[in-house]
Amino acid sequence: MDPPNDFEALTKAFSGFGVDEDSMVSILGKWHSEHLESFRKRTPKFFLEDERLFERWDDHHIACLTKEFLLFKDIVVQWIMHPWERDVRLVHEAITKGPQAYCGEIIEEFDKQYKVPLTQKIEDVALGNYKDFLVSLIRRVA
């Protein structure tokens, strides 16, 4: 594909939910400086022209892309970890950010996915004080 014809595909790779890294790397890897300049001029959604007629990123889009790339980095790092290490890190993050940040979503998703309330599942499989503690904790944050 001729690089100038990649403008639409590259714009699409930067748009929506997440960044399409495969498309982005494939397209940008074969571009030369004149293709980048042309892309900047032809994509006002991402670039603003200043008083000197220079194209610069729209700050909002920079913030969005930065967030998307951080999410991609986190996904890759979590993917290569041992499952136990990933789970420990996720638990640490949930505790650090506070139970309200994640617990409500987790409880709701568990109920939807397994068609049984999380508290009921814990009551069915956990024992003694451990069961009472977990059930009361879940009821408290739900």
Side-chain angles (χ1 to χ4, degrees), residues 77-96:
V77 168
Q78 289 180 15
W79 178 68
I80 62 175
M81 288 180 186
H82 287 287
W84 60 265
E85 183 182 12
R86 179 193 61 242
D87 293 347
V88 166
R89 288 175 183 259
L90 291 173
V91 167
H92 178 265
E93 182 179 326
I95 291 169
T96 304

Side-chain angles (χ1 to χ4, degrees), residues 42-84:
R42 292 178 54 188
T43 51
K45 177 178 178 182
F46 294 110
F47 294 94
L48 302 173
E49 203 170 79
D50 68 12
E51 63 279 352
R52 299 165 295 168
L53 303 179
F54 286 118
E55 305 83 25
R56 64 174 179 81
W57 272 104
D58 177 1
D59 291 336
H60 171 72
H61 284 94
I62 284 283
C64 291
L65 278 177
T66 299
K67 183 178 177 183
E68 292 298 338
F69 282 116
L70 288 175
L71 290 173
F72 177 68
K73 178 203 74 143
D74 290 345
I75 290 167
V76 170
V77 168
Q78 289 180 15
W79 178 68
I80 62 175
M81 288 180 186
H82 287 287
W84 60 265

Side-chain angles (χ1 to χ4, degrees), residues 111-130:
D111 294 356
K112 277 195 253 179
Q113 184 168 340
Y114 294 106
K115 310 288 190 262
V116 62
L118 179 56
T119 52
Q120 182 62 50
K121 186 65 173 178
I122 290 170
E123 288 175 352
D124 292 346
V125 299
L127 301 171
N129 291 338
Y130 183 64

Side-chain angles (χ1 to χ4, degrees), residues 18-33:
V19 173
D20 182 352
E21 291 85 10
D22 290 341
S23 295
M24 185 188 68
V25 170
S26 172
I27 293 166
L28 293 179
K30 61 186 175 185
W31 279 17
H32 301 286
S33 61

